[in-house]
Amino acid sequence: GAVVSQHPSWVICKSGTSVKIECRSLDFQATTMFWYRQFPKQSLMLMATSNEGSKATYEQGVEKDKFLINHASLTLSTLTVTSAHPEDSSFYICSAPQAGAASYNEQFFGPGTRLTVL
Amino acid sequence: QKEVEQDPGPLSVPEGAIVSLNCTYSNSAFQYFMWYRQYSRKGPELLMYTYSSGNKEDGRFTAQVDKSSKYISLFIRDSQPSDSATYLCALGTGGGNKLTFGTGTQLKVEL
């Protein structure tokens, strides 16, 4: 299957700083990518849909000014957590659907980025 | 009421057992049904997907969908310790590829 990578896999930062997380589709192009957040022992919660060449679409309750998303190319989307606080500590996962003839497009997930804000 | 309900477990079974994992949902707009496996501190990987009521088999895994009851299941035959992970059901309406996940069931297969 297709491969999605994330960088970094683990980051610790001080409260008030900003952190950038990259999501790359390695062997396919993705006009859309999804960003999820997962707290311990909880499910994945969709934060936003990243669209290549246009603004991201945020889910209800997600602050767009705090979680900046940029989808500058067909293989790269970035999520920047601005002015991070301890409550932003979580596991952030991206996914990308691989386009195909079927109406359902299989989504491939990255390995996740664990963010710890001190 | 959550759109997708899944028992979080943990579920502990002996090696070789048949495992049954289930999700119920309330939104009849869901047309695509997936099961993902997630190991600790890793991203989810797709195990099975289906879009119609009935059974779909792939090796030791069988996905079952009952749209009339809004109930989906994943069966694992001859379970192995390597199957120990969290299993998430995910449902989609098709438009935009957005998925709604269950909370995940933590499975432990013991020797």
Side-chain angles (χ1 to χ4, degrees):
Chain A
V3 178
V4 174
S5 70
Q6 279 184 245
H7 178 79
S9 57
W10 181 49
V11 58
I12 299 176
C13 69
K14 292 183 179 180
S15 184
T17 60
S18 294
V19 174
K20 180 186 284 189
I21 302 170
E22 293 184 349
C23 177
R24 292 182 187 273
S25 56
L26 296 186
D27 49 3
F28 67 101
Q29 295 182 331
T31 56
T32 301
M33 291 184 176
F34 298 94
W35 286 97
Y36 295 84
R37 181 166 52 184
Q38 185 178 33
F39 292 106
K41 297 188 183 292
Q42 293 188 28
S43 190
L44 283 74
M45 297 299 297
L46 180 65
M47 298 175 66
T49 303
S50 174
N51 304 298
E52 189 268 335
S54 64
K55 291 183 179 181
T57 306
Y58 291 82
E59 295 300 302
Q60 192 173 13
V62 178
E63 299 175 60
K64 61 180 67 175
D65 294 331
K66 181 169 184 60
F67 298 100
L68 300 179
I69 291 173
N70 186 299
H71 196 146
S73 77
L74 288 172
T75 59
L76 173 65
S77 174
T78 60
L79 169 68
T80 301
V81 184
T82 63
S83 187
H85 288 94
E87 58 266 29
D88 297 323
S89 298
S90 187
F91 194 50
Y92 291 86
I93 306 175
C94 69
S95 73
Q98 184 176 33
S103 56
Y104 164 72
N105 296 327
E106 182 176 348
Q107 283 195 38
F108 296 91
F109 283 80
T113 296
R114 183 159 302 280
L115 170 64
T116 301
V117 184
L118 301 176
Chain B
Q1 181 188 12
K2 291 182 182 178
E3 277 195 291
V4 180
E5 298 275 359
Q6 184 177 10
D7 187 337
L11 177 62
S12 185
V13 301
E15 184 179 9
I18 296 175
V19 176
S20 173
L21 304 165
N22 311 294
C23 287
T24 59
Y25 62 96
S26 56
N27 187 350
S28 58
F30 288 128
Q31 297 297 319
Y32 300 96
F33 309 93
M34 279 73 68
W35 285 95
Y36 284 85
R37 177 174 61 196
Q38 186 179 24
Y39 292 109
S40 181
R41 297 175 182 265
K42 300 291 185 182
E45 57 176 319
L46 182 67
L47 282 177
M48 302 279 289
Y49 84 89
T50 185
Y51 50 86
S52 58
S53 284
N55 295 349
K56 182 178 181 180
E57 190 173 316
D58 184 1
R60 295 186 296 113
F61 299 93
T62 299
Q64 188 177 78
V65 174
D66 184 345
K67 288 188 178 181
S68 62
S69 301
K70 297 189 178 63
Y71 189 89
I72 65 172
S73 300
L74 177 71
F75 299 96
I76 306 174
R77 291 184 298 281
D78 188 25
S79 55
Q80 304 294 312
S82 58
D83 294 329
S84 298
T86 296
Y87 290 79
L88 300 129
C89 62
L91 290 72
T93 58
N97 308 120
K98 288 172 63 172
L99 297 178
T100 301
F101 283 84
T103 53
T105 299
Q106 187 180 353
L107 171 66
K108 185 174 182 181
V109 180
E110 299 178 322
L111 290 169

